[in-house]
Amino acid sequence: MGTGRLYAAVAASGFRRYATYRTATAAGVFTNSVFGLILAYTYLAVWNERPHLGGYDQSQALTFVWVSQGLLMTVAVFGGGFEEELIERIRTGDVAVDLYRPVDLQGWWLASDLGRALFHLLGRGVVPLVFGALLFPLALPASPLTWVAFVLAVGLGVVVSFAIRFVVALSVFWLLDGAGVAQLAGLTAVFCSGMLLPLNVFPGTLGEVVRLLPWSALLQAPVDVLLGAADPLPTYGFQIAWAVVLLGVGRLVQSAATRRVVVQGG
């Protein structure tokens, strides 16, 4: 089997794996919809007092709520994807088998995570957005090209998210316990991705800084592409740049971890 076909099979396996958890998916859709309602009415109150806050009108702000709720699991803002399994394999030493296989560790887990993300985009992304559109006046685009541009931005956001979580998982080679680092990464993602508030709302230097961090590629960048608040090409460039940098860091950490395993095994 060629490398491309192998990774495609791994991605398909990741999709099927998460598709088996139907009850959990239904519960997640319900949870996202409830939190979407809470955030939507909160945003309505805020934007009634401050119209055009962050450059959004009220319908754009509501659209931000429902699109971001649909993407939370897709881009794994809270974590909970492959990294938990990889952390456990590192902790128990089973990862040594993975490192000696003739398949790249980073490529394998990236393919698996892309399959997971595709399932969550379809399984947990569509219904909350439709639900929100039925209850609130959302600023959804009519052009299919805008939707295509949005999906591409989401895909790049998933890659950036994976790259961050891969480095977090590999830190366990030196820390032995990944719980603290994973929780810190999750809290940072919640604050810096736009999950709580659009990053455009953050004032002054803080707003400028958080928009330059990689976590803004997860939610803020794709939603801005959908809303027409950002040009797709510069947005893709920003996401690709962070993906290349973080995947490169992951590659370096993986190489260091492999040498560590070889030395300890020898």
Side-chain angles (χ1 to χ4, degrees):
M1 181 183 293
T3 302
R5 292 177 59 191
L6 173 62
Y7 289 145
V10 173
S13 176
F15 184 97
R16 290 194 300 269
R17 175 182 179 182
Y18 283 88
T20 59
Y21 299 109
R22 298 174 183 175
T23 302
T25 299
V29 168
F30 175 78
T31 301
N32 288 135
S33 299
V34 170
F35 275 99
L37 286 173
I38 295 171
L39 284 174
Y41 283 110
T42 302
Y43 276 37
L44 280 174
V46 172
W47 261 262
N48 280 334
E49 294 295 324
R50 295 283 303 275
H52 302 288
L53 179 64
Y56 295 150
D57 61 27
Q58 192 175 86
S59 62
Q60 288 176 315
L62 290 171
T63 304
F64 191 99
V65 169
W66 290 104
V67 175
S68 61
Q69 282 298 307
L71 292 181
L72 288 182
M73 290 299 295
T74 301
V75 298
V77 171
F78 297 111
F82 76 95
E83 66 274 15
E84 293 183 352
E85 182 177 351
L86 180 55
I87 286 173
E88 182 63 17
R89 292 186 67 80
I90 295 171
R91 191 186 66 79
T92 60
D94 291 341
V95 73
V97 177
D98 303 335
L99 292 171
Y100 281 113
R101 287 174 180 163
V103 179
D104 179 60
L105 183 72
Q106 188 182 62
W108 175 282
W109 288 110
L110 174 57
S112 177
D113 201 54
L114 289 174
R116 174 207 61 79
L118 179 59
F119 170 75
H120 283 309
L121 180 63
L122 299 175
R124 289 186 61 169
V126 175
V127 175
L129 180 58
V130 172
F131 178 72
L134 292 174
L135 295 179
F136 300 93
L138 303 188
L140 298 175
S143 171
L145 292 178
T146 303
W147 285 101
V148 171
F150 164 71
V151 171
L152 181 54
V154 171
L156 291 172
V158 171
V159 176
V160 174
S161 172
F162 164 82
I164 295 171
R165 290 176 288 127
F166 185 71
V167 173
V168 169
L170 292 189
S171 69
V172 180
F173 275 105
W174 292 271
L175 300 178
L176 301 180
D177 183 2
V181 177
Q183 289 174 1
L184 180 61
L187 289 173
T188 305
V190 167
F191 182 79
C192 296
S193 66
M195 176 191 158
L196 298 178
L197 276 174
L199 301 183
N200 299 344
V201 173
F202 287 25
T205 303
L206 176 61
E208 295 174 3
V209 170
V210 293
R211 286 193 293 272
L212 292 175
L213 296 176
W215 293 277
S216 68
L218 276 58
L219 290 180
Q220 185 72 46
V223 178
D224 276 346
V225 168
L226 185 69
L227 292 174
D231 292 332
L233 290 181
T235 301
Y236 299 157
F238 171 78
Q239 292 177 298
I240 290 171
W242 270 119
V244 170
V245 169
L246 292 169
L247 288 173
V249 171
R251 181 71 60 188
L252 291 174
V253 176
Q254 178 181 322
S255 297
T258 302
R259 289 194 297 270
R260 183 183 179 90
V261 169
V262 170
V263 170
Q264 289 180 345

